[in-house]
């Protein structure tokens, strides 16, 4: 609604009740700024200097109100002043209700820190122009979703990474996985009893070979001795035969452990500690 009342005319402008009601209707349309800006917003003024606030215009519960400023205290309230006037029938009635926002306590009161300065349309336009497009925002969300999927094992825990720097330089949010010290990691295999339990540890750096672990080879020799002591000797088929039997050789080796370590590089393993 757009109203233009032409008061600057000759002949005497009739200020009737319906004209004044129209003026009030026009004034009330300004309260739409309250719905547009939101509750407890500063439209203008209210500049803070030290412990004081300059006068300005604020919005409280949809009303656009004058704020008189002053020394800052915790709360403000809406001061209502009823102005009496004498009517033509000589009776005194409330003609004007004046509302002003002041520092102090009332019913209700509003925390001064809850009031926010409304940005100008120019500032909002510049912010919009500097912001990303809907397409760019959607692409960023898609990238974030991919990152969430890729980092899900880190967030959930249960992973370790090799760390090739001193353990006292491990970044914040991570810690050494001490259960992996001096160990290699082998892939889980549910079909192999040796590798079917996640988190299980086994194995040695060295082993001692048993007889069962030696390759199948033979160490034998044939020894020929007289059949009986002092018999004078003899060959097979004669009256004095030699005793032919199989005997063991002397022991070989020192029974030392066998090193079965594979070529390796030492690293500390780290895990999430969020």
């Amino acid at each position: 609604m757009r109203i233009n009342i032409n008061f600057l005319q000759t002949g005497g402008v009739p200020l009737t009740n319906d004209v004044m009601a129209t003026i009030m209707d026009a004034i009330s349309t300004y309260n739409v700024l309250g719905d547009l800006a939101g509750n407890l917003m500063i439209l203008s003024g209210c500049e803070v200097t030290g412990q004081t606030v300059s006068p300005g215009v604020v919005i409280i519960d949809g009303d656009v109100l004058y704020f008189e400023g002053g020394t800052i205290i915790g709360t403000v309230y809406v001061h209502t002043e009823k102005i009496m006037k004498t009517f033509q029938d000589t009776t005194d009635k409330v003609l004007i209700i004046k509302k002003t926002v002041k520092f102090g306590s009332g019913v209700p009161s509003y925390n001064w820190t809850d009031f926010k300065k409304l940005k100008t349309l120019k500032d909002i336009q510049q912010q919009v122009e500097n912001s990303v497009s809907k397409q760019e925002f959607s692409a960023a969300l898609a990238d974030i979703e991919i990152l969430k999927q890729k980092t899900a094992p880190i967030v959930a825990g249960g992973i370790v990474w090799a760390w090739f720097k001193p353990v006292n330089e491990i970044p914040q949010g991570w810690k050494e996985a001490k259960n992996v010290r001096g160990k290699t990691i082998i892939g889980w295999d549910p079909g192999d009893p040796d590798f079917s339990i996640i988190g299980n540890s086994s194995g040695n750096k060295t082993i001692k070979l048993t007889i069962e672990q030696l390759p199948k080879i033979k160490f034998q020799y044939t020894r020929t001795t007289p059949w009986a002591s002092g018999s004078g000797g003899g060959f097979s088929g004669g009256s004095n035969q030699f005793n032919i039997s199989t005997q063991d050789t002397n022991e070989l080796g020192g029974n030392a452990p066998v090193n079965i370590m594979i070529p390796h590089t030492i690293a500390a393993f780290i895990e999430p500690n969020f």
Side-chain angles (χ1 to χ4, degrees), residues 33-102:
L33 294 175
D35 298 329
L36 179 63
N39 194 31
L40 304 183
M41 295 296 295
I42 299 173
L43 290 182
S44 66
C46 300
E47 300 295 335
V48 178
T49 304
Q51 294 298 314
T52 61
V53 181
S54 65
V57 178
V58 299
I59 296 172
I60 296 180
D61 296 333
D63 287 336
V64 179
L65 302 173
Y66 175 75
F67 176 64
E68 68 176 17
T71 302
I72 298 176
I73 62 174
T75 58
V76 300
Y77 74 102
V78 179
H79 174 75
T80 302
E81 179 184 1
K82 296 181 179 180
I83 300 176
M84 306 288 292
K85 294 293 182 180
T86 302
F87 284 60
Q88 289 184 352
D89 61 359
T90 69
T91 59
D92 293 334
K93 300 179 183 179
V94 176
L95 181 62
I96 301 172
I97 299 178
K98 183 179 179 181
K99 293 183 177 181
T100 306
V101 180
K102 300 183 177 184

Side-chain angles (χ1 to χ4, degrees), residues 213-232:
Q213 293 170 329
L214 290 174
K216 288 184 177 181
I217 58 176
K218 292 182 179 180
F219 293 92
Q220 295 180 343
Y221 74 98
T222 301
R223 185 180 67 173
T224 304
T225 61
W227 184 258
S229 177
S231 63

Side-chain angles (χ1 to χ4, degrees), residues 250-273:
N250 294 332
E251 288 184 346
L252 298 175
N255 204 29
V258 178
N259 188 332
I260 57 173
M261 293 181 64
I262 60 175
H264 57 269
T265 299
I266 304 300
F269 282 93
I270 59 175
E271 61 185 343
N273 189 30

Side-chain angles (χ1 to χ4, degrees), residues 51-216:
Q51 294 298 314
T52 61
V53 181
S54 65
V57 178
V58 299
I59 296 172
I60 296 180
D61 296 333
D63 287 336
V64 179
L65 302 173
Y66 175 75
F67 176 64
E68 68 176 17
T71 302
I72 298 176
I73 62 174
T75 58
V76 300
Y77 74 102
V78 179
H79 174 75
T80 302
E81 179 184 1
K82 296 181 179 180
I83 300 176
M84 306 288 292
K85 294 293 182 180
T86 302
F87 284 60
Q88 289 184 352
D89 61 359
T90 69
T91 59
D92 293 334
K93 300 179 183 179
V94 176
L95 181 62
I96 301 172
I97 299 178
K98 183 179 179 181
K99 293 183 177 181
T100 306
V101 180
K102 300 183 177 184
F103 278 115
S105 299
V107 181
S109 295
Y110 307 90
N111 293 326
W112 172 244
T113 55
D114 291 338
F115 285 81
K116 306 299 179 185
K117 187 83 175 218
L118 182 66
K119 293 184 178 180
T120 65
L121 293 177
K122 181 179 180 181
D123 291 338
I124 295 174
Q125 180 65 29
Q126 289 178 344
Q127 185 175 354
V128 170
E129 291 175 352
N130 294 332
S131 62
V132 298
S133 65
K134 183 178 180 181
Q135 182 178 2
E136 292 172 330
F137 182 72
S138 298
L141 286 180
D143 290 341
I144 292 173
E145 187 61 31
I146 293 174
L147 287 175
K148 287 172 60 179
Q149 295 175 10
K150 290 183 176 182
T151 58
I154 298 177
V155 176
I159 69 163
V160 293
W161 282 351
W163 176 256
F164 289 95
K165 290 185 176 183
V167 292
N168 60 359
E169 296 181 14
I170 295 175
Q172 184 177 1
W174 295 80
K175 65 179 181 179
E176 182 192 359
K178 295 183 179 180
N179 61 318
V180 195
R181 281 184 174 181
K183 297 180 175 67
T184 57
I185 298 175
I186 299 177
W188 172 69
D189 185 354
D192 188 333
D194 289 332
F195 309 122
S196 62
I197 301 177
I198 294 178
N200 191 32
S201 295
S202 63
N204 299 283
K205 293 190 294 184
T206 62
I207 62 171
K208 288 186 177 182
L209 295 177
T210 65
I211 293 177
E212 289 76 12
Q213 293 170 329
L214 290 174
K216 288 184 177 181

